[in-house]
């Protein structure tokens, strides 16, 4: 939970229904079954002397929307401190990417942002149809410094 900012109720230590992957805290975006948007973000600065930087996080996607259409989405973006999106679009996950109740490791290369203060932001957008929950846990920024 430390260092992250989020929409109301997203950062949770509740173990009911959908537990954290490890520890007691997780981020739970959406899952309401109605039009809703949640955000989760943190500002970081990969060290200027690093030769690479990677964000690793664990993602669980639970949905009752079994259709082929991506009705509910979780977008990851890198933004500057003013909130402007930097670079090219990064991963977008949807109800089609359900993980069967398991957390799956995801990695995003952030080497292009070494030495910059950036905001890592997850945005969950759910339509007015069936519920999709996006759960994020154990996020970690690692940098390799020679």
């Amino acid at each position: 939970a430390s260092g992250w900012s989020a929409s109301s109720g997203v950062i949770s230590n509740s173990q009911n229904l959908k537990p954290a992957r490890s520890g007691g805290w997780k981020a739970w975006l959406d899952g309401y079954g109605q039009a809703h948007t949640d955000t989760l973000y943190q500002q970081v600065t990969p060290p200027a002397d690093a030769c690479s930087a990677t964000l690793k996080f664990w993602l669980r996607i639970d949905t009752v929307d079994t259709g082929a259409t991506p009705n509910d989405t979780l977008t990851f973006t890198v933004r500057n401190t003013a909130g402007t999106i930097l670079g090219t679009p990064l991963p977008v996950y949807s109800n089609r990417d359900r993980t069967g109740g398991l957390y799956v490791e995801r990695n995003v290369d952030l080497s292009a942002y070494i030495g910059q203060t950036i905001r890592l932001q997850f945005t969950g957008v759910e339509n007015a149809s069936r519920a999709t929950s996006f759960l994020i846990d154990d996020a970690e920024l690692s940098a390799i410094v020679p």
Side-chain angles (χ1 to χ4, degrees):
S2 179
W4 290 94
S5 297
S7 303
S8 178
V10 166
I11 298 173
S12 169
N13 66 349
S14 168
Q15 297 301 310
N16 296 336
L17 302 175
K18 300 181 189 309
R21 177 183 170 269
S22 68
W25 293 91
K26 65 184 175 288
W28 183 347
L29 293 84
D30 299 327
Y32 296 96
Q34 62 189 24
H36 187 82
T37 299
D38 278 323
T39 58
L40 173 71
Y41 62 91
Q42 182 177 63
Q43 278 194 184
V44 299
T45 305
D49 58 346
C51 58
S52 70
T54 304
L55 174 69
K56 176 175 85 172
F57 61 96
W58 292 81
L59 176 64
R60 175 179 168 177
I61 302 171
D62 294 336
T63 186
V64 292
D65 190 340
T66 57
T69 304
N71 294 316
D72 308 313
T73 58
L74 178 71
T75 305
F76 175 79
T77 53
V78 176
R79 299 168 183 255
N80 64 18
T81 55
T84 304
I85 296 175
L86 302 174
T88 58
L90 290 167
V92 176
Y93 306 98
S94 76
N95 51 283
R96 296 184 320 177
D97 301 309
R98 61 190 158 274
T99 61
L102 303 174
Y103 283 91
V104 176
E105 182 179 344
R106 305 293 186 185
N107 293 283
V108 180
D109 183 7
L110 298 175
S111 298
Y113 308 103
I114 288 173
Q116 300 176 53
T117 299
I118 54 175
R119 182 164 74 179
L120 308 177
Q121 182 167 321
F122 294 93
T123 304
V125 178
E126 189 173 24
N127 71 4
S129 180
R130 298 178 177 182
T132 299
S133 295
F134 301 100
L135 292 94
I136 300 166
D137 200 4
D138 297 329
E140 119 185 5
L141 176 65
S142 62
I144 298 177
V145 180

